[in-house]
Amino acid sequence: MSKNGSITITLEGSNASASMPLLGGTLGPQVADIRKLYSSLGIFTYDPGYGETASCESKITYIDGDQGILLYRGYPIEQLAEKSDFIEVCYLLMHGELPNKEQLEQYRKAVTNHTMVHEQLRRFYDGFRRDAHPMAIMCGVVGAMAAFYHDNLDINDERQREIAAFRLIAKVPTIAAMAYKYALGQPFVYPRNDLSYAANFLYMLNSVPAEPYEVSPVLARAMDLILILHADHEQNASTSTVRLAGSTGANPFACIAAGIAALWGPAHGGANEAVLKMLGEIGTKDKIPAFIEQVKDKNSGVKLMGFGHRVYKNFDPRAKIMKDTCHEVLAELGIKDEPLLDMAMEMERIALTDEYFISRKLYPNVDFYSGIILKAMGIPTSMFTVIFAVARTVGWVSQWKEMIEDPSQRIGRPRQIYTGADTRDYEALDKRG
């Protein structure tokens, strides 16, 4: 960070004032350093949701929502989606630079060698109901990894942090696929080290011992893109949760389990699941115009899912990539008469031509297209957020690792505005009205 001048804060009606330095990053707005605000003036700032507050310094991801820009370590997401694969993106997020050929091969082998889980970990699944939500299983099993891999939990040791990172990135797809198979009542499928990361994940989800399963290259590439596009997204709710948990010194498995719990919320990781739910509630394609009219009516309370984005005020750069992939997947699978997918395509057409959507920049976002792709692949909506968690694990791990290695990092401790009762004395029970 660089210092770029200062701002002065003055309390009205007094001579008290304080100068706060302005800090600048590589990109983005300047930031007022208010760490000495309370000691100087005796006041805090109030920012519900931390929408105007930088909680950390990070070199991993940059977003410009107004311009529709998403950078991983400085590289535009469009270039990475076109030219890279998920494992290379994992290396980039963790280490800050793209690998050379030898580094990439070593990294790929390290991840591949950790894909299997401890056999005793399989028994955890028997403790869950068959109809348990897979995110509940993910929270429990990922958190329990600390009990099985406690030999490398010294977070102050760089090598042990790296081993924990490899274990999480490699094993979370296996754990996710096992959660899916458990719900279906099918045998767990062991990973195949001869397949790519995305292809292996699809293999574990879809393969059965009774017959061979060949992974479609088109579907494997689509899954790889979904993983790349969801790998990290700056200081969102789940990433902030991972950092907050990590600031206490908690082990990385506990921190990632906390991130999974935060991601589970429908306002965060459940957005693409909400798209399919919305389409299901509309019912049929001919009812879409009436639904759109309800959306336009501010008093109807009807919400439009999968369009627009809290961060991207122009367009979601990930959605452009997913749109083309979505149509490739539908063509590969030969899907033409699936009602929900037909409705989704009609919603897309309206959003791109209706002035109401265009003027408000309510373009389809990445959740809209990824939900359609996963639905077309035959993956149930309950697994959508799980796949999001598989993708985001590398981002969480990279953010956790960066936080641990930051000497200025302190335990998270937000302040509050207390609006409860003033100081009062205890009153005996028989004297209370």
Side-chain angles (χ1 to χ4, degrees):
M1 290 185 292
S2 59
K3 291 188 177 181
N4 300 324
S6 64
I7 62 169
T8 300
I9 299 176
T10 302
L11 292 180
E12 284 189 32
S14 74
N15 294 322
S17 65
S19 179
M20 303 290 159
L22 285 173
L23 305 178
T26 309
L27 297 167
Q30 295 188 96
V31 178
D33 182 353
I34 61 168
R35 282 176 287 184
K36 295 184 179 179
L37 182 61
Y38 181 69
S39 60
S40 300
L41 297 178
I43 61 173
F44 300 128
T45 57
Y46 180 59
D47 183 19
Y50 312 114
E52 310 294 330
T53 301
S55 61
C56 64
E57 176 188 353
S58 181
K59 296 179 173 66
I60 299 173
T61 302
Y62 173 74
I63 297 171
D64 185 331
D66 293 330
Q67 299 299 319
I69 293 172
L70 171 60
L71 307 177
Y72 288 170
R73 299 287 191 177
Y75 292 97
I77 192 65
E78 295 88 347
Q79 292 183 22
L80 293 172
E82 179 187 353
K83 301 176 181 179
S84 188
D85 70 0
F86 183 65
I87 288 297
E88 187 176 46
V89 168
C90 288
Y91 184 100
L92 173 66
L93 290 173
M94 279 186 62
H95 298 290
E97 299 292 342
L98 287 170
N100 60 34
K101 189 174 182 179
E102 182 181 353
Q103 289 170 331
L104 180 59
E105 187 61 28
Q106 289 177 350
Y107 187 86
R108 203 182 297 276
K109 284 183 178 179
V111 172
T112 302
N113 290 339
H114 284 288
T115 53
M116 292 182 65
V117 298
H118 196 290
E119 276 295 290
Q120 281 187 290
L121 201 65
R122 292 163 54 98
R123 299 179 186 173
F124 270 71
Y125 291 82
D126 294 331
F128 294 100
R129 287 172 51 121
R130 288 283 179 183
D131 59 353
H133 196 289
M135 284 296 279
I137 296 175
M138 291 289 289
C139 287
V141 177
V142 172
M145 287 175 69
F148 288 86
Y149 305 107
H150 51 75
D151 54 322
N152 293 105
L153 285 182
D154 183 356
I155 63 173
N156 297 310
D157 185 302
E158 183 179 0
R159 178 56 182 161
Q160 293 192 38
R161 290 197 299 271
E162 187 175 42
I163 292 172
F166 281 131
R167 283 175 169 161
L168 280 160
I169 294 167
K171 296 180 193 302
V172 163
T174 308
I175 291 169
M178 290 168 68
Y180 178 54
K181 289 296 192 182
Y182 182 74
L184 293 178
Q186 293 181 359
F188 294 152
V189 176
Y190 287 95
R192 272 178 51 183
N193 289 353
D194 62 314
L195 296 175
S196 70
Y197 191 93
N200 180 53
F201 185 39
L202 286 175
Y203 172 78
M204 291 189 292
L205 287 173
N206 296 302
S207 177
V208 293
E211 58 186 43
Y213 173 78
E214 293 294 327
V215 181
S216 160
V218 173
L219 300 189
R221 178 55 181 161
M223 179 59 74
D224 196 68
L225 280 173
I226 288 174
L227 298 177
I228 290 173
L229 299 180
H230 290 86
D232 197 59
H233 210 238
E234 214 194 65
Q235 304 308 313
N236 51 78
S238 58
T239 300
S240 298
T241 299
V242 170
R243 279 184 172 262
L244 191 62
S247 74
T248 69
N251 72 75
F253 304 111
C255 295
I256 302 309
I260 291 171
L263 187 70
W264 194 355
H268 189 11
N272 51 11
E273 185 175 345
V275 171
L276 272 295
K277 182 179 179 182
M278 174 190 74
L279 294 175
E281 290 174 349
I282 294 172
T284 55
K285 188 175 175 179
D286 62 291
K287 294 181 180 178
I288 290 179
F291 175 79
I292 295 297
E293 290 305 313
Q294 288 183 301
V295 170
K296 295 177 180 180
D297 181 0
K298 293 181 180 180
N299 299 318
S300 69
V302 174
K303 291 185 177 181
L304 182 67
M305 308 304 296
F307 293 79
H309 196 281
R310 180 182 177 184
V311 173
Y312 299 109
K313 305 307 179 186
N314 191 347
F315 60 88
D316 184 342
R318 302 168 300 171
K320 286 185 170 183
I321 301 163
M322 275 286 94
K323 177 182 178 181
D324 294 338
T325 303
C326 178
H327 292 284
E328 288 173 8
V329 168
L330 295 180
E332 167 72 5
L333 296 173
I335 295 176
K336 296 180 180 178
D337 299 315
E338 216 291 334
L340 277 181
L341 298 179
D342 288 343
M343 290 170 62
M345 293 300 98
E346 177 64 11
M347 290 286 288
E348 177 197 47
R349 186 194 66 78
I350 292 172
L352 296 177
T353 56
D354 192 304
E355 182 58 29
Y356 176 88
F357 290 87
I358 295 171
S359 64
R360 289 165 175 77
K361 299 178 179 178
L362 292 175
Y363 303 111
N365 59 33
V366 69
D367 298 310
F368 179 81
Y369 291 114
S370 63
I372 297 171
I373 290 172
L374 296 175
K375 171 68 176 176
M377 287 183 178
I379 296 172
T381 55
S382 62
M383 282 292 294
F384 287 6
T385 316
V386 172
I387 292 171
F388 195 160
V390 171
R392 187 54 58 85
T393 295
V394 66
W396 290 331
V397 166
S398 301
Q399 296 273 352
W400 170 82
K401 199 166 165 288
E402 182 182 63
M403 180 211 63
I404 295 296
E405 295 166 1
D406 182 357
S408 67
Q409 180 62 41
R410 302 169 58 193
I411 185 172
R413 179 59 170 86
R415 305 303 296 242
Q416 65 174 21
I417 299 177
Y418 176 69
T419 56
D422 200 348
T423 305
R424 49 185 173 175
D425 294 322
Y426 180 87
E427 190 172 27
L429 181 60
D430 60 355
K431 293 184 178 180
R432 297 175 210 163

